[in-house]
Amino acid sequence: MSETRAAPPVDPVETDATETPESRLAPELPEDVVILVPVRNTVLFPGIVLPIAIGRERSIAGAQEAARSERRIGLVLQRDAEVEDPGPEDLHEVGTAANILRYVTTVDGTHHMVCQGEQRFRVLDYLPGHPFLVARVEWITSPDTVSTELEARAMYLRKRALEALELLPQSPAELTNAIQNTSSAGPLADMIASFMDLEPEDKQAVLETFDLRRRVDLVVERLNHRIEVLRLTKHIDDETKASMDKRQREYMLREQLRTIQRELGEADEAQSEIDELQEAVAKAGMPEDVEAHARKELKRFERMPEAGAEHAMLRTYLDWLTGMPWSHTDPEAIDLTAARRILDEDHYGLEKVKKRIIEFLAVRKLNPTGRSPILCFVGPPGVGKTSLGKSIARAMSLEFVRASLGGVHDEAEIRGHRRTYIGALPGNIVQAIRKAETRNPVFMLDEVDKLGAGFHGDPSAALLEVLDPEQNATFQDNYLGVAFDLSRVLFIATANVLDQIPGPLRDRMEVIELPGYTEDEKFEIAKRYLLRRQLEATGLDSGAVELSDDALRALIRDYTREAGCRNLEREIGAVLRHAAVRIAEGETARRSIEVSDLPDILGPRRFENDVAMRTAVPGVATGLAWTPAGGDILFIEATRTPGSGKLILTGQLGDVMRESAQAALSLLKARAASLEIDEALFERSDLHVHVPAGAIPKDGPSAGVAMYVALVSLLTNRNVKPDRAVTGEISLRGLVLPVGGIKEKCVAAARAGVSTVLLPARNRKDLEDIPKSAREKLEFVWLDNVGDATAVIFDRAGEAEEADGPGPPPGWDSGERAPAATPH
């Protein structure tokens, strides 16, 4: 509730309304015609007296006419307080008729009127032809009947209102008396609603409630909420006051204690603090030079007064210095059999990665004091890089700590701030070591490829010392100011893209690549790990929901397209949540999810294998691309228009792909005769090469052969076989150069329904990296030069039809799919 508002403290000058013929109402107008004055953020109830300030010309004219003619005035709340000139549509339909007790104009020109609410009304229609709002209204009368139930509700409302007034810090006595002396339920509800601290819309809702019982209940509901707020506010105030009193009392007691200790000659609190620090330095097991430095700083601390500016800063520094694990090392329990079991439990597939980790653990077991290499797991998101680090820590029975380097652009985040700065702290490395409480944790540096460089220094350069086995034994944090041995820390780094790691930093790490998973591998991972994890997350047991193998494969094939399994786990979670709703509502006790249920749960499938349709015309070739999220297919389109021999490139192509297109065109011109292409076409035509999904940047040295094939297909009017895809870069001599990401590209080709892939012959060594499930689906053609590609990739059924030129076939989908990130 709020206190009663009074009229503004001004010297009023009573004024009469200006009498103009057009402003007067005809005296014979019936009583149901009322002058309306729109008001902002104010609701007047019957029986309540309130001052109203008016400033708009129409409102002033209406109020003056009502005062002159001694008519009641109607106050109606605006729906939007920001509207300056409200019309009928901007006003509520229910208002309050009021008598103007006093109309004054202050010396500064502001108009005020003191109104007493009389009766509710509902606006029926507005009457035109007046300089102010005039409406015909329906008067709302309150029934005089009094029932026992209504009296009981009124008594309860009065009791709660008095309770709320007691909670106010300064409650007006006249309001308390008015509530106690009002016995009727209607006036009581109106009075309480008027002075309660409510939003105007809530007060309007009370005004529009004509049924007396419902009105009382509505006010009681609002009042109960307000009482709870007032009680909580009072409780907070009491606690705050008690806390302040307690601090003052503690301060006085401490001062008295210091005085008593001084008189008795006993050691004070400061000396006890110094004794604790001396004991901590002795127990920390610091190297000799570090301990000497700590004792020197401790002597400075002894001589420093508590009120000194550096006292708190030096105390914090000594806490950090003594809290570091200078000599504590956890024992390493390396059991290779148990390590294999742990890796197999936590991860499916990744045989080469597991083999390298086992080799690493074996060397560590045979030579515990040797310098360990810095492992760097590189792969797309969601393939299990971070969880591999946790598995290594579990296999070695060591603590696991992690620091995310994504977006770090300040060198002080690695090396720490100097102690001269306010709020200085050690770097993330030292903070994590102290949190681990051991010198030899497994320390994971996540996202080293996303380090930034700003005007505060280059954090990647600061990491050079951390990750160099020859230097990190004497790593010096700027905050500590002394060397800390990091040689026993087992550092593991993760990255999505190897090329984005700075060269010197990459040179200090042993890179282990984690390629994306095939469909069969995702299926096993989902059955072994993801499904169980999502069942636990949704509170379901394995018997309540059954996700069929076909449905799981459909999820992988039709609703996700990624190298890792994050989106797959999200989709599994969405399916299980759908089942959880049915089970929680009691609709069924057990839910079985089949392939036919997926469209109703997740919508239509998001990915389709449409290579055959998209390569059914000359000038379209299917390439293969690598992205940070795995492999994908890439469509290259070429067309010819009348022109002057220009090469037009579109599709957000980077410099490398633009150079590949230019090289493909130059090679095509050089071999035009052997390909039976009229050389005059190049002079009177413009060639347009387009890679769809132009909003996505594309770059990388792997599209040269695909662009050459697309141009040959266009100019020889031959279709590329729909089941074939190609990757590789070309030289001006026609040689096919090797490219990277062969495994990811082949997995993407098998997933997209391609049966034959054309690869550079010099990439034959990468064949064993391709998963067996993908190798069984694909036929490989090895290319030494572009002639090998043109010999096998075109349809031998003959030239394409030329009825209307090489246009798209029926059903061509212009929204080609492209990789989710920059392809190479």
Side-chain angles (χ1 to χ4, degrees):
M1 299 182 70
S2 60
E3 297 181 10
T4 308
R5 291 173 289 179
V10 296
D11 295 327
V13 179
E14 298 198 21
T15 61
D16 293 329
T18 304
E19 298 182 4
T20 59
E22 46 283 0
S23 66
R24 295 183 181 180
L25 285 176
E28 65 275 5
L29 287 178
E31 286 297 323
D32 62 346
V33 175
V34 178
I35 299 173
L36 299 185
V37 173
V39 291
R40 297 186 179 103
N41 303 323
T42 301
V43 177
L44 178 65
F45 287 85
I48 305 300
V49 178
L50 282 182
I52 305 292
I54 53 178
R56 290 178 286 207
E57 293 182 3
R58 294 175 64 186
S59 299
I60 293 173
Q64 289 179 345
E65 171 61 15
R68 185 197 62 78
S69 59
E70 299 182 354
R71 298 176 65 92
R72 292 193 296 184
I73 194 168
L75 301 179
V76 185
L77 178 67
Q78 288 184 208
R79 297 184 187 275
D80 185 0
E82 300 297 327
V83 177
E84 287 297 329
D85 189 14
E89 68 279 359
D90 300 317
L91 303 177
H92 286 277
E93 295 180 0
V94 177
T96 303
N99 284 329
I100 300 178
L101 302 181
R102 195 175 186 189
Y103 187 98
V104 296
T105 303
T106 58
V107 293
D108 60 351
T110 306
H111 295 259
H112 298 270
M113 57 181 180
V114 179
C115 299
Q116 181 177 18
E118 291 261 333
Q119 188 175 2
R120 287 175 170 82
F121 64 83
R122 179 189 285 114
V123 176
L124 299 178
D125 56 2
Y126 287 82
L127 304 181
H130 301 280
F132 39 77
L133 293 174
V134 178
R136 179 174 287 104
V137 302
E138 173 192 2
W139 299 109
I140 308 299
T141 58
S142 299
D144 296 332
T145 57
V146 177
S147 64
T148 305
E149 181 184 1
L150 203 56
E151 287 184 2
R153 292 175 185 270
M155 290 180 61
Y156 178 77
L157 177 60
R158 184 184 301 107
K159 175 185 175 184
R160 297 296 282 172
L162 295 175
E163 209 176 315
L165 288 174
E166 291 178 359
L167 293 172
L168 288 175
Q170 295 178 349
S171 60
E174 60 270 21
L175 181 57
T176 303
N177 294 332
I179 292 175
Q180 289 177 338
N181 295 330
T182 303
S183 58
S184 299
L188 182 62
D190 290 343
M191 179 188 304
I192 294 172
S194 176
F195 294 104
M196 201 187 315
D197 189 9
L198 294 177
E199 292 294 329
E201 292 297 329
D202 292 335
K203 291 187 176 182
Q204 181 67 27
V206 175
L207 185 68
E208 294 178 356
T209 305
F210 303 143
D211 184 77
L212 195 53
R213 175 180 172 182
R214 288 180 54 204
R215 189 192 313 165
V216 172
D217 290 344
L218 182 60
V219 175
V220 168
E221 178 185 347
R222 300 289 193 275
L223 185 59
N224 286 338
H225 173 73
R226 187 60 186 164
I227 289 174
E228 292 301 320
V229 174
L230 290 173
R231 282 177 177 171
L232 183 59
T233 304
K234 188 174 185 301
H235 178 68
I236 294 173
D237 289 340
D238 294 341
E239 282 190 345
T240 304
K241 183 178 179 181
S243 176
M244 293 179 63
D245 294 340
K246 180 181 179 182
R247 290 196 189 109
Q248 293 176 352
R249 181 171 176 272
E250 288 176 353
Y251 174 78
M252 294 296 297
L253 290 175
R254 287 194 185 98
E255 291 298 321
Q256 293 175 4
L257 179 61
R258 288 192 185 99
T259 303
I260 294 172
Q261 287 177 338
R262 252 193 324 267
E263 293 295 330
L264 296 176
E266 296 179 354
D268 58 8
E269 185 178 344
Q271 186 60 43
S272 300
E273 185 178 15
I274 292 172
D275 293 340
E276 291 177 3
L277 288 173
Q278 287 177 341
E279 184 179 357
V281 170
K283 292 181 177 180
M286 304 176 181
E288 293 182 4
D289 56 336
V290 178
E291 185 172 352
H293 172 77
R295 294 195 179 280
K296 180 180 177 181
E297 293 294 327
L298 186 55
K299 288 182 180 179
R300 285 185 58 220
F301 183 73
E302 290 180 22
R303 297 191 298 268
M304 191 175 296
E306 285 190 41
E310 293 187 43
H311 184 273
M313 181 192 72
L314 191 53
R315 173 59 200 263
T316 304
Y317 172 72
L318 290 171
D319 285 340
W320 273 100
L321 208 58
T322 56
M324 294 298 295
W326 297 98
S327 57
H328 178 72
T329 303
D330 287 338
E332 296 181 3
I334 300 178
D335 184 344
L336 297 183
T337 302
R340 284 193 179 92
R341 177 179 51 79
I342 290 172
L343 291 173
D344 289 338
E345 286 177 358
D346 296 345
H347 301 85
Y348 178 80
L350 304 176
E351 299 304 328
K352 286 191 174 182
V353 178
K354 293 178 182 177
K355 178 182 176 183
R356 179 62 189 91
I357 292 174
I358 293 297
E359 292 172 356
F360 169 81
L361 295 177
V363 173
R364 182 89 171 191
K365 181 177 183 179
L366 297 176
N367 186 13
T369 60
R371 291 188 174 94
S372 300
I374 310 298
L375 301 180
C376 179
F377 297 136
V378 178
V383 295
K385 300 184 294 297
T386 302
S387 59
L388 274 173
K390 295 180 180 178
S391 299
I392 293 174
R394 193 154 71 95
M396 300 178 69
S397 301
L398 296 178
E399 290 291 328
F400 177 82
V401 291
R402 172 182 170 273
S404 179
L405 303 180
V408 172
H409 56 81
D410 189 350
E411 181 184 350
E413 296 289 334
I414 307 299
R415 286 191 175 276
H417 304 82
R418 300 196 179 275
R419 281 190 289 145
T420 53
Y421 299 117
I422 296 176
L425 282 174
N428 292 336
I429 305 298
V430 168
Q431 289 188 41
I433 296 295
R434 181 182 177 181
K435 180 180 178 181
E437 298 181 350
T438 178
R439 283 180 56 211
N440 62 334
V442 175
F443 198 130
M444 174 152 283
L445 299 170
D446 262 336
E447 313 293 352
V448 294
D449 58 331
K450 297 177 179 61
L451 285 168
F455 62 91
H456 291 297
D458 187 356
S460 64
L463 275 177
L464 295 178
E465 182 183 0
V466 175
L467 298 181
D468 192 337
E470 301 293 334
Q471 301 180 35
N472 60 12
T474 57
F475 172 73
Q476 183 164 320
D477 186 271
N478 289 332
Y479 182 83
L480 295 182
V482 293
F484 187 85
D485 186 4
L486 297 178
S487 61
R488 301 298 302 160
V489 179
L490 178 55
F491 286 104
I492 300 175
T494 70
N496 293 134
V497 183
L498 184 62
D499 297 342
Q500 295 180 6
I501 304 176
L505 187 60
R506 187 168 64 244
D507 182 63
R508 282 163 168 74
M509 299 184 292
E510 179 182 343
V511 176
I512 300 177
E513 294 190 2
L514 278 74
Y517 296 110
T518 64
E519 181 179 325
D520 293 336
E521 289 174 335
K522 288 183 180 179
F523 177 77
E524 293 296 334
I525 292 171
K527 292 202 68 173
R528 298 182 185 210
Y529 311 108
L530 306 183
L531 190 56
R532 182 177 68 247
R533 194 154 60 202
Q534 286 302 311
L535 282 170
E536 294 175 357
T538 52
L540 299 170
D541 55 52
S542 57
V545 179
E546 180 183 357
L547 186 61
S548 68
D549 292 351
D550 291 340
L552 192 54
R553 290 189 181 276
L555 275 177
I556 298 169
R557 182 176 58 253
D558 299 334
Y559 291 90
T560 62
R561 186 151 294 178
E562 56 176 342
C565 297
R566 286 183 182 168
N567 285 328
L568 175 59
E569 185 170 2
R570 294 188 186 103
E571 299 299 336
I572 292 174
V575 171
L576 295 183
R577 289 194 299 273
H578 173 83
V581 171
R582 303 295 182 272
I583 294 173
E585 290 178 342
E587 182 179 319
T588 179
R590 187 176 182 276
R591 187 79 164 89
S592 179
I593 307 296
E594 301 295 338
V595 177
S596 58
D597 300 322
L598 295 182
D600 294 334
I601 300 173
L602 302 176
R605 61 181 184 175
R606 303 187 183 103
F607 301 99
E608 296 181 357
N609 297 331
D610 50 1
V611 178
M613 180 178 65
R614 299 192 180 205
T615 58
V617 295
V620 180
T622 303
L624 297 174
W626 178 93
T627 75
D632 212 332
I633 58 174
L634 192 69
F635 297 101
I636 310 293
E637 299 178 353
T639 189
R640 177 170 61 89
T641 59
S644 56
K646 292 188 296 184
L647 175 63
I648 303 171
L649 302 173
T650 55
Q652 281 277 48
L653 304 184
D655 292 339
V656 177
M657 290 189 74
R658 288 179 174 273
E659 292 173 359
S660 297
Q662 188 63 58
L665 179 59
S666 299
L667 181 61
L668 181 62
K669 289 180 178 180
R671 298 192 174 195
S674 62
L675 293 171
E676 299 180 358
I677 299 174
D678 185 5
E679 297 183 5
L681 287 177
F682 298 107
E683 297 179 0
R684 63 174 185 267
S685 304
D686 289 341
L687 295 177
H688 187 166
V689 177
H690 176 65
V691 181
I696 300 175
K698 312 169 191 70
D699 200 11
S702 64
V705 179
M707 289 184 171
Y708 177 81
V709 167
L711 290 172
V712 172
S713 171
L714 172 70
L715 297 179
T716 61
N717 202 30
R718 288 186 291 175
N719 293 342
V720 175
K721 291 184 178 181
D723 61 344
R724 305 203 170 184
V726 61
T727 186
E729 194 52 80
I730 60 172
S731 70
L732 291 179
R733 294 177 294 164
L735 298 179
V736 178
L737 305 179
V739 294
I742 294 298
K743 175 191 173 180
E744 291 84 354
K745 293 176 181 178
C746 291
V747 170
R751 184 176 61 225
V754 174
S755 62
T756 304
V757 292
L758 287 68
L759 304 175
R762 291 164 62 182
N763 280 115
R764 195 186 295 267
K765 63 182 183 300
D766 299 317
L767 182 62
E768 63 178 19
D769 293 335
I770 302 172
K772 182 179 178 182
S773 59
R775 288 203 306 266
E776 293 174 350
K777 296 179 181 179
L778 298 174
E779 177 184 350
F780 300 93
V781 177
W782 305 101
L783 307 177
D784 290 307
N785 55 68
V786 292
D788 299 337
T790 56
V792 299
I793 201 169
F794 292 115
D795 196 341
R796 297 179 182 178
E799 296 183 349
E801 297 181 3
E802 293 183 320
D804 296 322
W812 177 273
D813 181 7
S814 61
E816 279 86 1
R817 181 176 47 78
T822 304
H824 295 274

